[in-house]
Amino acid sequence: MRILQGIAVSPGVAIGEAVVIDNQGYRIPHRFISRSAIDTELERLAKAFVSVGRQIENSRDEISEELGEQYGAIFSAHLQMLRDPKIESDIVHLIKQRHYSAEYSVSQVLSKYIKVFENLSNVYMRERANDVRDIERRLINTLLGNRREALSNLETPVVILAHNLTPSETANLDREKVLGFVTEVGGPGGHTAIVAEALEIPAVVGTGQFLSDVTVGDLIIIDGDQGRVIVQPDDETILRYQHEVEEHRSLATRLEALSGLPAETTDKQHIALYANIEFPHEAEACVRRGAEGIGLYRTEFLYLGQDEEPSEEDHYRVYSQVVKDMEGAPVVIRTLDLGADKLLGENPEDPEQNPFLGLRSIRLSLRNIPLFRTQLRAILRASVLGEIHVMFPLVSTLQELRQAKMLLSDIMEDLEEEGVPFDRGIKIGMMVEVPSSVIMLEQFAKEVDFISIGTNDLVQYTLAVDRSNKEVAGLYNNSDPAVLRLIEMSISKATAAGIKVTLCGQMGGNPIYAMLLIGLGLRSLSITPSAIPEVKKVCRSVSIAQCEEIASRVREMENAREIKQFLREELRKVVPELLL
Amino acid sequence: MSESQSTRTVIIQNKQGLHLRPADLLARLAYQFESNIEVENDGLSVNAKSVIDLATLGAGPGTELKLSATGTDAEKAVEAIAELIINFTDEDEEAVDTTESESSS
């Protein structure tokens, strides 16, 4: 058993066999094959032996010619090992008797020899492990060949272990087959993490290197709540986690009973719960979970993993689908929120030194007017199909907001001239996620209909912490008093100006913050759909007065840790079952 | 021809012992015989026709190996293999070392 600590990015527990994806994104094949595949597998193995024999002969001839016979002789020994009848018969045995794949059988048999050699007392002999390793590598490379199995071809449910997954790879994961995933790199709030949450599969990122110690087919537990990955857990651990999975399931069932009930406090104050979504198909889950609308529809997936820029029709198609699925409930569409480095076709000669402070989001859109125009036209056209609001991300100055609004009115004029219908009174909002926008919120509030506090970026920019940098990720705290003060300022300024305020960062979906946020005056949250039942449970268990009391206690606290601890305790008092 | 059994003990003389290339020679030689041939080192016995098994014996210089064969040509096999082991040499020792470390890096 081995326990690794990473960063929890998508909650839940997954228990399953490992599929390992190497650095190049190739899948290392599965451990087991079906009975009917044995003959094919034996044939593949025999071919690989022939081919590797030829490769070794070539190496021997080349080296002999270049350096002399005695140097080539080592390859004769390799050849002899390869042709050692015992090796092949051991491998064949595993394929036939245990139904292991050829790759897995090769690695099992040769690893055994490598271990024997490594344990020899004679140093010179010990080095023979490398010769065996060389043969193993040749055989496996040959077997793998060009058979690059895509993630979408999984046959049985598994957990995915990879060095890295791109957002589009993550987005294409088969939810039926992928129980959870772990990546060696990455941080919270990265796009991969957001997609994992949207897919509702447990995920841990940023574990550091560990793939070389995992064998395909090893049992893995992913603890997406604690950010833990357990390789080859012992029976006790498995039982404990199975129990936890059961608890979660029964909690989920109990919470499901709330889906028809309103999110209101014990003193009948309504708390609006909206959903954050990434993909159009999630709209259905939002309705099922009782979301009052979509508070954040991220549109980046349209731009990621595509070979060309999405057309106006591409945008229109998905927007209209979502708005129809939501059956008249409001849908807040956020315009492109990506860094230049992530945008297709943009492969800058000199990459930005500091992309989070660089050309991204609204800045990028304003630099690429045709691209921005395409998206805004589609949003406006879809606005007649239901209630659509448009929201601009990462606004840091009034000029940016004004430019974006000006473009929007330009497009409205165009549409009017073309006789294309749209909602003239479309609500316009902005994300509040840069400290400058909080400070200047009185001014901004005069020019927007609503704001949504984006805590992920607000935390990063307030505390100057790159959340994907493992060295400083520990400084990234939703509960930092400075962050909480900015959130409270945003809520009170927006409320004073009479505009609607929502919070849409990951923080909102964590039940421990719900009471505090309500206590700070927030009455609307947009969260990941899977978190709606839990947060609703919290809302229905407390009064506004209780929440305000919690908020006033927190105002006196000095550090993030203390605050988080306190909030956990308060939650435990009210709904202990949410702190499994 | 009738089955016979033959055993003999032999001490490794060369400095590197029964490493890969000598093991290769030994296995090849063993292969030419019909008999089942075993090589034993300190209680661990392996098939003489398997180079990799021979190498796992980790038999260094001065190791006493027990050869035993069963089959129609058992005696000839044991004699030939004993002869080979006694005459193991290290003449290209360094050269082999260099190549090996290169090929495995």
Side-chain angles (χ1 to χ4, degrees):
Chain A
M1 183 164 92
R2 196 164 155 231
I3 301 175
L4 298 146
Q5 185 66 50
I7 302 162
V9 292
S10 182
V13 169
I15 307 178
E17 280 188 13
V19 161
V20 183
I21 313 237
D22 69 11
N23 277 347
Q24 279 80 46
Y26 301 147
R27 175 183 160 200
I28 296 176
H30 204 255
R31 181 170 175 170
F32 293 104
I33 53 169
S34 65
R35 189 180 289 275
S36 58
I38 291 176
D39 286 341
T40 328
E41 212 64 7
L42 291 174
E43 224 168 273
R44 290 179 59 227
L45 181 76
K47 278 194 191 139
F49 265 88
V50 172
S51 161
V52 169
R54 215 172 296 133
Q55 291 168 27
I56 299 176
E57 277 168 6
N58 287 342
S59 300
R60 181 193 59 193
D61 296 347
E62 275 168 32
I63 299 289
S64 298
E65 199 167 304
E66 274 172 43
L67 302 167
E69 287 279 322
Q70 73 271 36
Y71 288 91
I74 184 62
F75 290 104
S76 301
H78 281 196
L79 213 50
Q80 184 74 1
M81 277 205 276
L82 180 77
R83 293 184 179 154
D84 190 325
K86 189 145 178 290
I87 289 193
E88 194 168 352
S89 70
D90 283 359
I91 296 171
V92 167
H93 178 83
L94 289 184
I95 296 175
K96 279 188 179 162
Q97 304 302 320
R98 302 223 193 147
H99 303 179
Y100 285 169
S101 69
E103 290 89 348
Y104 189 70
S105 305
V106 165
S107 119
Q108 284 287 298
V109 169
L110 294 184
S111 302
K112 196 180 71 195
Y113 279 108
I114 291 168
K115 282 204 184 99
V116 172
F117 283 122
E118 279 173 344
N119 289 326
L120 290 177
S121 54
N122 181 323
V123 180
Y124 182 77
M125 300 286 189
R126 217 181 290 154
E127 280 169 20
R128 299 294 67 75
N130 281 333
D131 294 305
V132 185
R133 223 172 256 135
D134 194 50
I135 293 170
E136 182 195 20
R137 198 167 44 212
R138 280 188 200 256
L139 277 172
I140 288 183
N141 285 345
T142 306
L143 281 167
L144 286 173
N146 288 322
R147 222 170 55 117
R148 293 168 186 176
E149 293 181 71
L151 277 172
S152 44
N153 287 341
L154 298 166
E155 284 139 30
T156 51
V158 290
V159 302
I160 304 279
L161 310 179
H163 176 66
N164 199 6
L165 287 174
T166 64
S168 59
E169 279 171 331
T170 316
N172 289 324
L173 293 177
D174 180 349
R175 287 162 76 186
E176 302 294 314
K177 298 290 161 55
V178 178
L179 303 169
F181 72 82
V182 181
T183 60
E184 290 184 326
V185 297
H191 223 81
T192 299
I194 288 170
V195 175
E197 207 173 14
L199 293 173
E200 298 185 14
I201 49 180
V204 172
V205 303
T207 55
Q209 281 197 0
F210 77 103
L211 290 180
S212 49
D213 301 327
V214 180
T215 310
V216 177
D218 277 355
L219 192 69
I220 306 285
I221 295 177
I222 300 175
D223 180 342
D225 301 307
Q226 305 292 326
R228 234 169 260 149
V229 181
I230 304 162
V231 181
Q232 292 190 300
D234 56 29
D235 291 346
E236 194 196 319
T237 311
I238 297 174
L239 274 178
R240 185 156 51 83
Y241 273 102
Q242 277 170 345
H243 180 69
E244 196 165 305
V245 170
E246 268 316 302
E247 295 264 288
H248 271 286
R249 204 168 290 152
S250 87
L251 175 67
T253 317
R254 272 179 284 145
L255 291 178
E256 225 164 77
L258 299 177
S259 73
L261 299 172
E264 53 181 35
T265 55
T266 51
D267 49 345
K268 300 290 169 210
Q269 283 283 319
H270 177 71
I271 309 296
L273 297 183
Y274 297 97
N276 297 342
I277 67 166
E278 180 90 15
F279 304 108
H281 67 76
E282 290 180 84
E284 179 266 329
C286 299
V287 175
R288 184 160 41 85
R289 292 220 163 81
E292 292 179 31
I294 308 281
L296 172 63
Y297 177 18
R298 304 184 177 98
T299 55
E300 289 72 61
F301 84 99
L302 282 160
Y303 299 87
L304 292 166
Q306 311 294 332
D307 293 331
E308 48 188 82
E309 232 175 78
S311 67
E312 186 179 319
E313 284 311 306
D314 292 335
H315 283 284
Y316 180 74
R317 207 174 314 120
V318 292
Y319 301 160
S320 43
Q321 191 200 322
V322 170
V323 79
K324 279 181 201 150
D325 286 352
M326 290 309 293
E327 299 162 352
V331 176
V332 178
I333 301 179
R334 181 180 68 185
T335 63
L336 176 67
D337 188 21
L338 273 184
D341 55 326
K342 303 265 172 38
L343 199 61
L344 52 129
E346 305 272 324
N347 219 342
E349 290 281 297
D350 46 330
E352 293 186 19
Q353 294 275 345
N354 214 337
F356 283 111
L357 303 183
L359 187 61
R360 54 176 297 215
S361 306
I362 190 75
R363 302 169 184 176
L364 184 63
S365 294
L366 290 171
R367 279 287 190 87
N368 290 275
I369 295 296
L371 175 122
F372 200 14
R373 185 182 284 272
T374 302
Q375 181 171 33
L376 291 177
R377 268 185 71 101
I379 293 174
L380 283 171
R381 281 175 52 203
S383 68
V384 286
L385 304 171
E387 192 183 342
I388 284 183
H389 306 169
V390 60
M391 176 161 74
F392 303 118
L394 203 83
V395 176
S396 57
T397 67
L398 278 162
Q399 281 81 347
E400 282 169 343
L401 176 66
R402 287 174 185 160
Q403 278 175 32
K405 285 182 69 178
M406 204 178 295
L407 181 65
L408 195 68
S409 9
D410 262 8
I411 298 169
M412 286 181 175
E413 275 173 35
D414 290 351
L415 291 174
E416 220 149 55
E417 274 172 32
E418 293 167 31
V420 178
F422 64 94
D423 174 11
R424 254 230 157 267
I426 189 170
K427 296 261 194 309
I428 301 168
M430 63 181 263
M431 297 276 293
V432 170
E433 50 188 343
V434 184
S436 67
S437 64
V438 181
I439 296 165
M440 299 295 289
L441 198 55
E442 288 91 347
Q443 274 66 37
F444 282 111
K446 291 176 195 156
E447 308 189 18
V448 291
D449 300 307
F450 66 94
I451 62 161
S452 190
I453 305 170
T455 53
N456 298 6
D457 273 338
L458 187 61
V459 174
Q460 144 162 295
Y461 292 129
T462 303
L463 301 175
V465 175
D466 174 358
R467 55 196 171 183
S468 62
N469 178 344
K470 225 185 151 189
E471 300 300 320
V472 295
L475 298 171
Y476 181 96
N477 272 311
N478 287 312
S479 54
D480 191 279
V483 173
L484 297 179
R485 259 160 236 225
L486 287 177
I487 291 173
E488 186 170 19
M489 272 170 76
S490 308
I491 298 168
S492 50
K493 285 184 184 187
T495 311
I499 63 167
K500 222 186 139 187
V501 51
T502 306
L503 181 145
C504 68
Q506 283 163 324
M507 177 183 185
N510 186 341
I512 74 166
Y513 295 113
M515 292 186 286
L516 171 65
L517 293 171
I518 294 169
L520 292 175
L522 201 65
R523 295 292 179 270
S524 168
L525 285 169
S526 189
I527 59 187
T528 185
S530 60
I532 290 176
E534 293 190 7
V535 173
K536 187 188 277 187
K537 175 74 186 164
V538 179
C539 297
R540 293 182 59 84
S541 312
V542 291
S543 68
I544 296 288
Q546 269 174 291
C547 294
E548 284 174 348
E549 171 61 24
I550 288 170
S552 72
R553 291 278 302 278
V554 167
R555 277 189 203 101
E556 287 158 20
M557 296 183 183
E558 286 174 352
N559 72 71
R561 216 189 147 83
E562 182 190 6
I563 293 171
K564 201 162 177 185
Q565 199 114 28
F566 170 72
L567 293 176
R568 283 183 72 86
E569 276 318 305
E570 290 301 306
L571 182 62
R572 194 187 305 281
K573 285 183 205 160
V574 183
V575 261
E577 67 264 38
L578 291 183
L579 286 170
L580 281 176
Chain B
M1 251 194 273
S2 65
E3 292 257 321
S4 68
Q5 215 183 350
S6 180
T7 56
R8 181 170 164 183
T9 305
V10 59
I11 292 174
I12 295 179
Q13 310 283 351
N14 67 324
K15 274 187 267 161
Q16 292 178 350
L18 188 62
H19 64 88
L20 212 49
R21 287 199 315 110
D24 176 23
L25 293 173
L26 200 161
R28 277 196 226 199
L29 181 62
Y31 224 78
Q32 294 169 13
F33 297 97
E34 177 276 331
S35 295
N36 180 31
I37 310 163
E38 300 262 309
V39 180
E40 187 189 321
N41 171 21
D42 201 16
L44 184 65
S45 181
V46 299
N47 186 339
K49 293 176 185 175
S50 169
V51 59
I52 197 158
D53 275 5
L54 286 172
T56 60
L57 287 176
T63 306
E64 193 180 87
L65 294 179
K66 189 178 157 200
L67 308 176
S68 55
T70 322
T72 51
D73 49 8
E75 196 168 333
K76 268 206 283 185
V78 167
E79 288 313 310
I81 290 169
E83 192 75 6
L84 178 75
I85 293 173
I86 292 162
N87 291 313
F88 278 159
T89 52
D90 301 309
E91 52 186 334
D92 45 27
E93 186 178 322
E94 260 175 66
V96 170
D97 265 353
T98 331
T99 333
E100 284 182 358
S101 58
E102 269 171 19
S103 74
S104 57
S105 62

